[in-house]
Amino acid sequence: MSIRLPAFWAVIPAAGVGARMAADRPKQYLQLGGRTILEHSLGCFLDHPTVKGVVVSLAHDDPYWPTLACAGDTRIQRVDGGEQRSDSVLNALLHLHEQGADDHDWVLVHDAARPNLARADLDTLLSELANDPVGGLLAVPARDTLKRVDKHGRVLETVDRSVIWQAYTPQMFRLGALHRALADSLVADAVITDEASAMEWAGQAPRLIEGRADNLKVTRPEDLEWLRQRWANRR
C-alpha cells in the first residue's frame, strides 16, 4: 500500500549573489543541462503532486528571473529577499501567512543552488516526517576523518565522525513554528545558518533523514563542473 504524502509549501531563498563562483551572474542562473540551476531546483517541487505552491525570494532588482519560462507559472509567487538567508525565508513565510496559509502547514525550504534533489529523497522526507512533532531535514553522515583545529591551522583532535552529519535541504517544518523561531532568533541576534538551526535555537530537536550525497549545493566552479559531467554521463 502506498504512503499518502502530506501537502506542503516550498520556499526557495534565491537572493544571494554566489561570489565564490566568480561568475558574471548569480550562481542560481548559471546553465546546467540546458536550464538554469534555479529552474532545476524548482522543478522537483513543481512536478510533485502534493505541492500547494512555491515562494521564491529574489533580489528586488533581479534582472534574470523575468527571463525564465517558469517566471510565469501561477504556482510560483515571488517576494523580495533579504540581506541574509534567514531574512529571505522569513519574508516568504510572512507572505504565506498573508495569503492565508495555516500555521500547521508544512513548509519545505530548499537551496536555490541545489539542483540535483532526487524525487525519491523528497518523497522519503515527506513520508518520514508527515506526523513528526518537530520536522527535520535531509542530511548525509560524515564519511571522511574530521579534525578540529586551532586558529593557526594545527590539529587539536580527531572528531568522532559517527555523530557528525552534513545538513542538506529540503528542511521541513510547520509554518507557524518556523516563522516564530526565525523571527525570535533574528530579534535575539542569534547565529542562524539554516532553518534547522533556528528550530534548535528555539529548543527543538529536528530529525535527520538520510538522503543522497549527490544532492550537491553548487558553491564553487568545480561543483558545477562535477554536476555537468555527472549529468552528461546519464545520456
Side-chain angles (χ1 to χ4, degrees), residues 30-153:
L30 296 175
Q31 289 288 314
L32 174 65
R35 294 196 294 169
T36 63
I37 290 173
L38 179 55
E39 288 175 291
H40 288 296
S41 298
L42 286 164
C44 195
F45 299 100
L46 293 172
D47 292 340
H48 201 279
T50 67
V51 69
K52 301 177 77 169
V54 180
V55 182
V56 183
S57 298
L58 300 165
H60 178 73
D61 56 351
D62 186 324
Y64 303 103
W65 172 256
T67 69
L68 304 184
C70 64
D73 192 316
T74 57
R75 294 170 296 173
I76 302 176
Q77 302 175 62
R78 172 182 175 171
V79 299
D80 286 344
E83 184 176 346
Q84 303 295 329
R85 173 198 175 93
S86 54
D87 299 311
S88 293
V89 173
L90 187 55
N91 285 353
L93 300 182
L94 286 167
H95 179 78
L96 285 175
H97 271 130
E98 291 169 358
Q99 298 302 307
D102 189 86
D103 274 354
H104 199 63
D105 285 351
W106 284 116
V107 174
L108 272 64
V109 183
H110 187 60
D111 295 324
R114 205 178 285 273
N116 203 38
L117 172 63
R119 170 65 181 271
D121 273 6
L122 176 56
D123 285 349
T124 298
L125 184 75
L126 289 167
S127 63
E128 290 291 328
L129 298 179
N131 298 308
D132 194 273
V134 177
L137 62 151
L138 287 179
V140 175
R143 297 179 176 182
D144 298 322
T145 299
L146 302 170
K147 305 291 187 181
R148 189 168 69 87
V149 301
D150 63 19
K151 63 181 180 181
H152 304 294

Side-chain angles (χ1 to χ4, degrees), residues 130-204:
N131 298 308
D132 194 273
V134 177
L137 62 151
L138 287 179
V140 175
R143 297 179 176 182
D144 298 322
T145 299
L146 302 170
K147 305 291 187 181
R148 189 168 69 87
V149 301
D150 63 19
K151 63 181 180 181
H152 304 294
R154 297 287 182 180
V155 174
L156 293 173
E157 64 173 338
T158 298
V159 179
D160 179 8
R161 69 182 178 188
S162 69
V163 297
I164 303 297
W165 289 59
Q166 287 182 268
Y168 280 20
T169 68
Q171 303 197 358
M172 176 175 170
F173 298 104
R174 299 289 185 182
L175 172 58
L178 181 57
H179 184 182
R180 288 190 296 274
L182 282 171
D184 291 349
S185 62
L186 287 173
V187 169
D189 200 26
V191 177
I192 300 300
T193 55
D194 63 358
E195 293 67 51
S197 64
M199 296 296 288
E200 294 159 35
W201 180 88
Q204 301 297 321

Side-chain angles (χ1 to χ4, degrees), residues 9-33:
W9 301 98
V11 167
I12 312 292
V17 298
R20 281 177 286 183
M21 287 296 292
D24 65 347
R25 64 195 60 202
K27 62 185 177 183
Q28 60 267 29
Y29 292 112
L30 296 175
Q31 289 288 314
L32 174 65

